[in-house]
Amino acid sequence: MERHIDTIGILTSGGDAPGMNAAIRAVTRSARFHNMNVVGIMRGYQGLIDKEFVKFTSSSVSNTIQRGGTILKTARSKAFLEADGRKLAYANMVEEGIDALIVIGGNGSLTGAQLFAREYDIPIIGLPGTIDNDLYGTDSTIGYDSALNTIVECVDKIRDTANSHDRIFFIEVMGRDAGFLAQNSAIASGAEAAIIPENNTDVDQLAEFIERGKRKSKNSAIVLVSEAQKNGVGGAMYYADRIRNEYPQFDARVTILGHLQRGGKPTAYDRILASRMGYAAIEALLEGQRNVMIGIKNDEIVYVPISKAIKMNKPINQELISVLNVLSL
Ligand code: F6P
């Protein structure tokens, strides 16, 4: 028999992402619509361990859909990685009367959710909240589109100075293990190349690309680089150093966009995505779903087993690589 759910707990965990507030709002309002109580858990799993609980009403989420960051705060809890931490978290959850959890976060956060659900038989619904877009089973994650737009705005500005000085800029963007941000921001900003973890880029190949652009009368170039470390340094620094050493004719500079990519207002796309996913999370609980992540595939809501969402590789569409190569000539 399905367990009756009176009270849900909601938390955000891992790196914040624009649109998380829109998701919290959607979950809260949908749950209240069905007369469920909502407990906001502050600072991710750490708040579950420290009993940082806040009663959420419909008005707790007023005027939040447009705000970046997360009103619930977030953390990467070390204590929750330990069995003792999870035991305490579960005891606090039971004491607070929380029957089910909604977890908004990326790969690490959903991995924690899966472990917790298996150990304590708790219904958990995950929402993909990460700018990296690296969760399998959904076309987009909450925050990805906003970060992409932020990056493109920055690259447009850097291009002005790159053009003026005839320089090559290596612009490092987030996504340790996934090149979605780098590849698509390169296409959207008209960059010359993207270096992503999914593809092996060779310095000669890169220089050839840049040289080809130069022959076509372009005197500057923009290369988007995923932050994955190479030989102990960030990707952008690594490639810029090699280009400087091996092709001194190029005047190379590095810009690391860093955490500014995670800030700012969510785009309309992310607000709608987060609203649909938050609403779907409560519908899923009511249908008796558990331990699934809400995804959107081809504009349809899908339930993805959390085990699949975190384990399966989400490939970069190879067509995107060809689009950039051809259009940057
Ligand atoms: O997972 C999201 C993310 O923004 C990654 O792209 C990045 O590598 C990481 O978080 C940075 O984490 P922190 O803010 O803890 O330095």
Side-chain angles (χ1 to χ4, degrees):
M1 208 184 79
E2 279 310 327
R3 199 172 345 177
H4 186 69
I5 295 172
D6 279 326
T7 302
I8 60 151
I10 176 167
L11 60 85
T12 49
S13 165
D16 61 330
M20 279 184 163
N21 287 328
I24 297 166
R25 172 180 177 271
V27 167
T28 303
R29 296 250 162 109
S30 304
R32 293 300 305 134
F33 179 81
H34 291 288
N35 291 319
M36 292 175 184
N37 302 312
V38 180
V39 175
I41 301 159
M42 303 301 292
R43 296 181 179 77
Y45 295 116
Q46 195 56 45
L48 214 43
I49 293 171
D50 298 338
K51 292 204 217 179
E52 273 200 84
F53 300 132
V54 183
K55 189 176 177 330
F56 261 38
T57 62
S58 210
S59 58
S60 310
V61 291
S62 294
N63 201 17
T64 58
I65 195 169
Q66 77 283 16
R67 286 165 56 189
T70 160
I71 55 168
L72 286 174
K73 310 251 181 172
T74 185
R76 299 186 198 276
S77 171
K78 289 212 170 67
F80 194 76
L81 297 175
E82 309 292 330
D84 281 353
R86 293 193 295 278
K87 192 171 170 194
L88 186 53
Y90 180 67
N92 292 340
M93 213 182 118
V94 172
E95 191 186 292
E96 190 66 21
I98 299 171
D99 305 306
L101 270 187
I102 310 283
V103 172
I104 310 171
N107 212 292
S109 308
L110 296 188
T111 304
Q114 160 156 283
L115 199 59
F116 199 37
R118 280 193 182 155
E119 280 173 347
Y120 293 102
D121 191 27
I122 308 158
I124 299 187
I125 304 290
L127 294 188
T130 166
I131 65 164
D132 295 352
N133 198 29
D134 59 348
L135 286 163
Y136 177 86
T138 187
D139 289 337
S140 189
T141 55
I142 298 165
Y144 169 63
D145 183 66
S146 306
L148 202 54
N149 277 283
T150 300
I151 295 169
V152 169
E153 207 184 313
C154 293
V155 176
D156 288 349
K157 291 191 166 129
I158 292 170
R159 195 179 275 286
D160 290 343
T161 178
N163 268 335
S164 306
H165 285 266
D166 293 339
R167 280 177 175 157
I168 295 168
F169 270 82
F170 289 85
I171 303 176
E172 190 170 297
V173 298
M174 282 188 169
R176 269 164 306 187
D177 309 311
F180 295 98
L181 285 172
Q183 188 67 30
N184 279 321
S185 60
I187 293 176
S189 61
E192 276 55 44
I195 301 176
I196 58 173
E198 293 85 344
N199 260 18
N200 244 339
T201 308
D202 170 88
V203 171
D204 285 338
Q205 189 192 340
L206 187 61
E208 191 200 308
F209 247 111
I210 297 165
E211 192 57 67
R212 222 162 33 171
K214 284 201 155 193
R215 281 201 296 274
K216 289 248 171 186
S217 82
K218 287 189 196 171
N219 285 322
S220 63
I222 301 280
V223 181
L224 268 296
V225 189
S226 290
E227 67 180 341
Q229 294 267 310
K230 270 216 149 238
N231 288 5
V233 292
M237 200 62 87
Y238 170 83
Y239 281 102
D241 276 348
R242 284 202 54 188
I243 288 279
R244 280 190 198 113
N245 290 335
E246 296 167 38
Y247 301 88
Q249 68 273 31
F250 296 129
D251 188 10
R253 291 288 186 278
V254 170
T255 301
I256 298 170
L257 294 184
H259 287 80
L260 79 77
Q261 293 163 86
R262 290 220 302 244
K265 281 171 180 282
T267 57
Y269 182 89
D270 270 333
R271 295 181 201 195
I272 295 166
L273 186 78
S275 299
R276 289 181 68 188
M277 287 178 164
Y279 169 88
I282 296 302
E283 294 294 309
L285 273 183
L286 291 171
E287 284 171 22
Q289 294 284 342
R290 39 166 60 213
N291 312 334
V292 293
M293 180 192 85
I294 305 295
I296 294 191
K297 274 263 174 211
N298 303 322
D299 207 32
E300 298 279 340
I301 290 285
V302 287
Y303 300 148
V304 189
I306 291 183
S307 54
K308 264 192 167 182
I310 55 179
K311 291 252 164 58
M312 306 224 348
N313 269 343
K314 181 168 168 180
I316 288 254
N317 182 345
Q318 285 302 308
E319 183 201 297
L320 296 174
I321 293 169
S322 308
V323 168
L324 178 63
N325 287 352
V326 171
L327 302 191
S328 62
L329 282 184

